[in-house]
Amino acid sequence: MEFLKVGFKQGNHLYTSSKTPVAGAEVYVKDENTYYHTTMDKVEGKLTAVKLDPADFGERLKIFIQKDENSCYILEIPTVNKDRLNDWACEIAKFLPNLKLGKQIEISANTSNMDKKGYTYKNLYISQDGEKVQWAFPLTDIPPLSKKFNKLKNADVYNSEDRDAFLYEKIKESVEGFKKENKTAHTPSDYKTSTNKPAADIDLSGEDNDDLPF
């Protein structure tokens, strides 16, 4: 089984990375290493596992999506960055409880709608067996950001601690649910013993995952 790591890069584009040349891929050089980025409009296939992994670059939420009998995507989303929950982790947390193993899913991201400052909203679009996946809970359940005036900065400073804790708990609960659901179908070694591992580790530790090291 070939495992293809998928991450987000600037502009909310999904992509895979390889150390070997890929036709049509964008060449990226980092620390004297050359990588080949292939941009994707979406990642789709059968959902086979969802895990939290304490990777070298920080904890990752890993979503395994089997493309075909020979290859499997691993969508990696960092969780905590600089004492706050990553924006993509906040977004996926809204959908995770409604996803089911063995279902055909499709995940894409917003690449066009922007806020007033010109930043692209980090929104995900997910379907399951051809049906749009709804949020698992009302957004009003999510604790709002708290605001405090900072005299040094002479501006309001927002704190997302309560929101982040709520959404991170949803992620952990969902992963535990997937573990129970997946217990008889797979073992942890299923995704660790392949000799055909991704050529490059994706560092998604950046705040917006724009400055990747490969």
Side-chain angles (χ1 to χ4, degrees):
M1 179 73 73
E2 179 184 16
F3 295 95
L4 306 169
K5 286 188 178 181
V6 180
F8 294 98
K9 64 188 309 181
Q10 188 172 10
N12 296 354
H13 295 286
L14 290 159
Y15 78 108
T16 60
S17 179
S18 172
K19 285 186 177 180
T20 56
V22 177
E26 175 188 1
V27 178
Y28 184 87
V29 179
K30 179 71 174 181
D31 298 331
E32 300 183 354
N33 293 313
T34 301
Y35 303 95
Y36 301 87
H37 291 180
T38 302
T39 303
M40 310 164 60
D41 293 328
K42 59 186 177 183
V43 57
E44 59 183 328
K46 184 173 70 173
L47 182 64
T48 58
V50 180
K51 304 178 181 181
L52 281 172
D53 181 23
D56 293 339
F57 294 111
E59 185 184 68
R60 298 287 186 271
L61 176 69
K62 294 185 176 182
I63 302 173
F64 293 79
I65 302 171
Q66 188 167 338
K67 179 183 177 183
D68 51 44
E69 61 180 9
N70 297 315
S71 57
C72 181
Y73 293 119
I74 307 175
L75 176 58
E76 291 200 6
I77 299 175
T79 54
V80 179
N81 284 340
K82 300 178 182 178
D83 298 324
R84 65 179 297 270
L85 197 63
N86 178 272
D87 288 339
W88 289 117
C90 289
E91 178 68 2
I92 195 67
K94 304 170 188 175
F95 298 94
L96 276 183
N98 282 343
L99 299 183
K100 300 293 182 183
L101 298 184
K103 298 287 188 177
Q104 194 75 11
I105 69 169
E106 179 181 300
I107 300 176
S108 60
N110 166 55
T111 58
S112 57
N113 295 328
M114 300 183 179
D115 62 19
K116 294 180 181 179
K117 294 182 179 180
Y119 293 105
T120 310
Y121 290 112
K122 287 181 169 57
N123 299 131
L124 291 174
Y125 309 113
I126 304 177
S127 66
Q128 186 167 247
D129 283 351
E131 298 290 334
K132 179 181 178 181
V133 178
Q134 303 294 334
W135 291 329
F137 45 85
L139 296 191
T140 52
D141 288 354
I142 303 175
L145 303 185
S146 60
K147 181 174 68 173
K148 182 178 180 181
F149 184 77
N150 186 296
K151 294 180 180 179
L152 183 64
K153 295 183 178 180
N154 194 34
D156 290 329
V157 176
Y158 290 87
N159 186 296
S160 63
E161 183 178 350
D162 292 340
R163 181 205 66 176
D164 292 351
F166 175 87
L167 293 174
Y168 186 52
E169 188 62 29
K170 292 293 183 182
I171 291 174
K172 291 191 293 182
E173 289 175 357
S174 296
V175 169
E176 287 302 313
F178 286 122
K179 282 183 181 179
K180 294 177 182 178
E181 187 180 351
N182 198 34
K183 190 172 183 180
T184 58
H186 298 286
T187 63
S189 62
D190 287 338
Y191 300 111
K192 295 180 180 178
T193 57
S194 171
T195 57
N196 193 2
K197 294 183 178 180
D201 286 333
I202 294 180
D203 177 6
L204 301 175
S205 59
E207 182 69 16
D208 291 318
N209 306 326
D210 293 341
D211 185 16
L212 302 179
F214 61 97

